[in-house]
Amino acid sequence: GIGSHYRVRAFLANHGTGLETAAKLLGGWHWAGRVRQLRIDVSNGSLPLRACLGQLHALLGLLKLEAVDEPASVEAQCFSDIHPADPRVFEICLLTDHLDRLLETVAQKV
């Protein structure tokens, strides 16, 4: 509903830059572009909520490192390039938690 759209829009307004940075770090330029387009589509209202949620679930999968098991994947290569002590790792963990909570909240309202 309207509240869910508002929550998603507010979330992306507050965390969009961080999500885009995390997506680039974990998935390369393709993922960064995907997040950028999602931010644009949500801000101008051109993406239906269900499609938006699908994109956010895919992004959550990237943040949760679901694709790093495929050694040939871009995601695995990106992940291998990140040092565990990189301060961005902590930021990505926080973003992952925030996104997870957002999707749980919105799922209860849809």
Side-chain angles (χ1 to χ4, degrees), residues 45-99:
S46 67
L47 190 67
L49 182 61
R50 206 165 284 298
C52 176
L53 294 177
Q55 289 288 327
L56 289 173
H57 278 286
L59 177 58
L60 183 62
L62 175 71
L63 296 178
K64 287 185 170 185
L65 309 175
E66 291 175 358
V68 299
D69 294 340
E70 282 294 322
S73 72
V74 172
E75 293 87 350
Q77 180 59 51
C78 289
F79 180 68
S80 71
D81 291 341
I82 301 170
H83 190 280
D86 188 320
R88 295 174 295 183
V89 170
F90 180 69
E91 292 172 27
I92 290 169
C93 291
L94 289 177
L95 278 171
T96 303
D97 290 344
H98 289 315
L99 181 55

Side-chain angles (χ1 to χ4, degrees), residues 2-50:
I2 300 295
S4 295
H5 266 291
Y6 177 78
R7 275 190 173 83
V8 169
R9 185 173 289 139
F11 180 83
L12 288 173
N14 290 330
H15 301 290
T17 302
L19 287 170
E20 205 171 310
T21 301
K24 182 181 177 295
L25 193 64
L26 294 174
W29 288 106
H30 165 75
W31 271 100
R34 195 169 163 180
V35 173
R36 187 175 316 108
Q37 189 61 52
L38 176 64
R39 292 174 65 196
I40 292 166
D41 293 345
V42 168
S43 70
N44 69 22
S46 67
L47 190 67
L49 182 61
R50 206 165 284 298

